[in-house]
Amino acid sequence: MKETNLFPPSFLWGGAISANQSEGAWNRDGKGASVADIMKQTEKSNEYSPEQIKELLAVKDDHKFPKRNGIDFYDTYPSDLSLLSKMHLNAFRTSIAWSRLFPTGLEDEPNPKGVEFYRNLFETMRQNNLEPIVTISHYEMPIALVLEQGGWQNHKVKDAFVHFGKTVIDLFHDLVKYWIPFNEVDSVVRHPFVSAGLLANEFSMKNEFQAMHNQYVASAQIVKFGHDKDSSLQFGCMLTGLTVYPYSCRPEDNLKAQKLRHYSYLAGDVQIKGHYPKSSYQMLHDDLQIEITKDDLAVLAEGTCDFLAFSYYMSVTVGEEDVKETDGNTIKSLKNPYLQTSDWGWQIDPLGLRILCQDLYNRFEVPLFIVENGFGAHDELKDGVIDDSYRIDYHRQHLLQLMKALNKDHIEIMGYLVWGLIDIVSSSSAEMSKRYGFIYVDQDNAGQGSKKRIPKKSYFWYREVIDSNGACLEHERTNDE
């Protein structure tokens, strides 16, 4: 082997899930309902009226709402974490369900049962040598804040979230070093209901950007509080990682690609650099009349993040051409003729990950952290075995590109977290059949099954990658460039 240090000694090898897709126990031990608890299986609606929400909450058949039960992680986390530790991971990302600690979001004191659960969870992670990476908001806001306050466009929701964020840092800073205030904070304009609690009649560019601005300010307040509380704590701004290509070399296609890149980097500009780019500020403040106060700007400057976290699943191609589109829950895209797609139409582009790392590192000059990367597929259990070689190939190719980003491009990368390392309910369609995990969960779309956990072929492959610090990938290397 030519390279003995393919990944740095401090590299965080791990996986990631969210509370709303895994925990279940949606109405136990004092937990309140969240935006995730009204999502039916395969229903991709992002638009709800108050009347619809109330009707859905009144439905008692939980099997119609897969996220209400998740994979029973609320009860099975000790054995699940033990199984994960046997893969030799050293990091695991999950989130805190806001409504498990503050059922309506407006309580002064947290729910004791919720506090007990998360302390036990983080302690068990530590006992299994798993560094906790904790997202404070991952599509889990209390539904009461939607119905009573109208979501994140309301400053009262921002204040309630800051109270929640400061509370969890107070409670768990001794166990959790790495914090991410918002999952894919830029997703408000794509998923205004689950990401910001906006009702259908409130969808507009003005309201969506107002909600996102309020989230930026809330994040900065929490980051400053955390830094003052404990200087060893680190906070990450999380983006939806998108490598954007123009469909052709036509100037119009390149302009469209450039506009999308500028938007996708906006959250990093605000949360890493601590201010809006001048052109973005003028568009938001002057054109859209977003309320951005001098105090807000001061808060943004004081509460900057330490690292840039991002998800990466695919690249996107944009242009003015009338050609076929491909699917993907991050963003619709023109079909790139040079890329293969997954069963769900996501364009597979490992090299795009290296390109994105170059762009982000040179623009923001802070450590990068890939906190989601994964491959959703139909897995088949045959004679107790799941041969998911297609998933191994996906991750192998992405890790090979990360090695080049580290060793050839000299980019500082903190770690790599596989999304849905254990099968969970899909975020976009609330189905179990779209599986990402290296561990199979015997459960169907209706929540039926033994719930048994079965390691897939990828489980043992990933353990070998970790044990060899990536050296086992060497024989799979393609040409250097």
Side-chain angles (χ1 to χ4, degrees):
M1 302 292 179
K2 293 182 180 179
E3 297 178 3
T4 57
N5 294 311
L6 301 176
F7 292 89
S10 61
F11 197 76
L12 294 170
W13 293 99
I17 61 174
S18 75
N20 79 83
Q21 295 167 260
S22 63
E23 285 180 5
W26 76 288
N27 57 1
R28 283 171 48 193
D29 294 335
K31 181 183 177 297
S34 80
V35 292
D37 297 323
I38 65 168
M39 185 176 182
K40 291 183 178 180
Q41 191 259 315
T42 70
E43 178 188 52
K44 297 185 178 181
S45 174
N46 194 29
E47 300 183 16
Y48 297 95
S49 68
E51 293 73 26
Q52 288 173 314
I53 291 173
K54 292 173 184 177
E55 289 175 4
L56 292 168
L57 287 173
V59 177
K60 302 300 182 184
D61 184 0
D62 290 350
H63 291 109
K64 294 181 178 180
F65 304 88
K67 292 183 182 180
R68 292 184 180 183
N69 297 311
I71 58 168
D72 295 336
F73 187 71
Y74 187 75
D75 295 312
T76 63
Y77 74 87
S79 57
D80 287 340
L81 293 176
S82 176
L83 188 57
L84 291 172
S85 74
K86 292 174 183 175
M87 208 187 310
H88 301 168
L89 311 181
N90 61 8
F92 187 64
R93 175 183 169 222
T94 188
S95 60
I96 296 175
W98 187 354
S99 62
R100 196 174 294 285
L101 288 191
F102 296 94
T104 70
L106 294 174
E107 292 82 3
D108 291 328
E109 298 298 326
N111 170 24
K113 284 288 187 181
V115 173
E116 179 183 12
F117 168 72
Y118 286 112
R119 175 151 288 276
N120 289 339
L121 173 63
F122 301 145
E123 286 178 345
T124 305
M125 289 169 66
R126 287 285 181 192
Q127 291 163 8
N128 283 280
N129 299 313
L130 297 169
E131 184 77 47
I133 317 293
V134 175
T135 310
I136 301 176
S137 175
H138 195 137
Y139 308 153
E140 290 150 345
M141 71 179 295
I143 202 73
L145 292 179
V146 178
L147 293 172
E148 299 171 18
Q149 306 295 334
W152 269 94
Q153 61 178 318
N154 187 338
H155 285 275
K156 290 183 179 179
V157 172
K158 176 186 74 69
D159 294 339
F161 181 78
V162 171
H163 176 59
F164 165 52
K166 290 180 177 180
T167 299
V168 298
I169 291 169
D170 265 335
L171 288 169
F172 306 122
H173 70 93
D174 59 319
L175 295 170
V176 179
K177 177 181 178 181
Y178 298 102
W179 297 88
I180 298 172
F182 290 94
N183 177 74
E184 295 181 341
V185 66
D186 54 285
S187 68
V188 171
V189 298
R190 297 192 308 274
H191 316 301
F193 176 73
V194 296
S195 194
L198 298 186
L199 295 166
N201 63 348
E202 296 290 349
F203 286 10
S204 69
M205 185 176 289
K206 175 180 173 61
N207 289 341
E208 289 159 13
F209 275 94
Q210 183 68 66
M212 192 155 56
H213 170 73
N214 290 343
Q215 290 187 354
Y216 292 154
V217 175
S219 173
Q221 288 181 265
I222 290 169
V223 170
K224 186 176 187 309
F225 175 83
H227 283 158
D228 291 344
K229 179 81 177 179
D230 184 340
S231 61
S232 70
L233 301 184
Q234 293 193 37
F235 293 84
C237 160
M238 184 182 170
L239 311 178
T240 307
L242 292 177
T243 303
V244 185
Y245 303 128
Y247 188 80
S248 75
C249 56
R250 291 176 65 228
E252 291 83 359
D253 287 0
N254 280 268
L255 178 62
K256 196 166 188 176
Q258 177 135 306
K259 285 182 176 179
L260 180 54
R261 284 193 206 100
H262 281 263
Y263 168 72
S264 67
Y265 297 157
L266 177 61
D269 289 330
V270 177
Q271 295 187 277
I272 300 291
K273 295 181 178 180
H275 59 84
Y276 283 99
K278 289 184 178 179
S279 59
S280 297
Y281 177 81
Q282 288 181 328
M283 183 271 288
L284 296 175
H285 185 264
D286 298 339
D287 297 345
L288 290 180
Q289 300 293 303
I290 303 299
E291 182 183 352
I292 304 174
T293 68
K294 290 183 179 179
D295 287 344
D296 289 346
L297 297 177
V299 169
L300 294 176
E302 292 178 342
T304 55
C305 291
D306 305 294
F307 61 91
L308 185 67
F310 63 96
S311 58
Y312 181 80
Y313 295 95
M314 62 187 187
S315 60
V316 297
T317 303
V318 298
E320 300 296 330
E321 285 75 8
D322 183 18
V323 297
K324 184 177 180 180
E325 285 189 337
T326 187
D327 292 324
N329 85 329
T330 51
I331 189 171
K332 287 279 189 180
S333 169
L334 299 182
K335 186 170 178 56
N336 188 326
Y338 300 101
L339 299 176
Q340 295 181 327
T341 59
S342 73
D343 293 341
W344 276 266
W346 296 29
Q347 301 191 127
I348 302 169
D349 186 8
L351 181 57
L353 176 58
R354 182 182 179 188
I355 294 168
L356 182 61
C357 286
Q358 292 175 348
D359 277 1
L360 294 175
Y361 192 64
N362 287 323
R363 185 182 183 106
F364 297 112
E365 298 183 321
V366 294
L368 306 182
F369 196 170
I370 296 89
V371 295
E372 288 185 26
N373 178 238
F375 184 70
H378 293 286
D379 292 337
E380 190 172 352
L381 180 63
K382 290 184 178 180
D383 300 322
V385 176
I386 303 99
D387 183 353
D388 59 339
S389 298
Y390 40 84
R391 183 170 291 109
I392 292 173
D393 184 64
Y394 176 93
H395 286 284
R396 176 189 291 120
Q397 296 305 324
H398 283 78
L399 285 169
L400 286 170
Q401 293 301 328
L402 273 192
M403 287 200 302
K404 293 175 182 177
L406 280 160
N407 297 302
K408 293 182 177 295
D409 304 332
H410 309 290
I411 295 171
E412 188 177 359
I413 300 173
M414 296 168 59
Y416 176 81
L417 306 184
V418 174
W419 175 249
L421 193 63
I422 181 171
D423 288 343
I424 53 177
V425 178
S426 168
S427 176
S428 59
S429 57
E431 58 188 324
M432 277 296 295
S433 55
K434 185 181 184 182
R435 298 176 182 271
Y436 287 84
F438 291 179
I439 299 170
Y440 184 87
V441 178
D442 182 27
Q443 177 177 314
D444 63 18
N445 287 339
Q448 302 298 308
S450 69
K451 308 296 177 71
K452 183 179 180 182
R453 276 54 166 156
I454 304 170
K456 305 176 188 179
K457 185 176 180 180
S458 55
Y459 175 98
F460 303 100
W461 170 82
Y462 196 40
R463 183 167 66 189
E464 183 182 1
V465 171
I466 295 169
D467 287 348
S468 69
N469 196 34
C472 70
L473 300 168
E474 281 282 74
H475 69 279
E476 296 290 342
R477 276 182 181 266
T478 54
N479 293 332
D480 282 349
E481 301 298 338

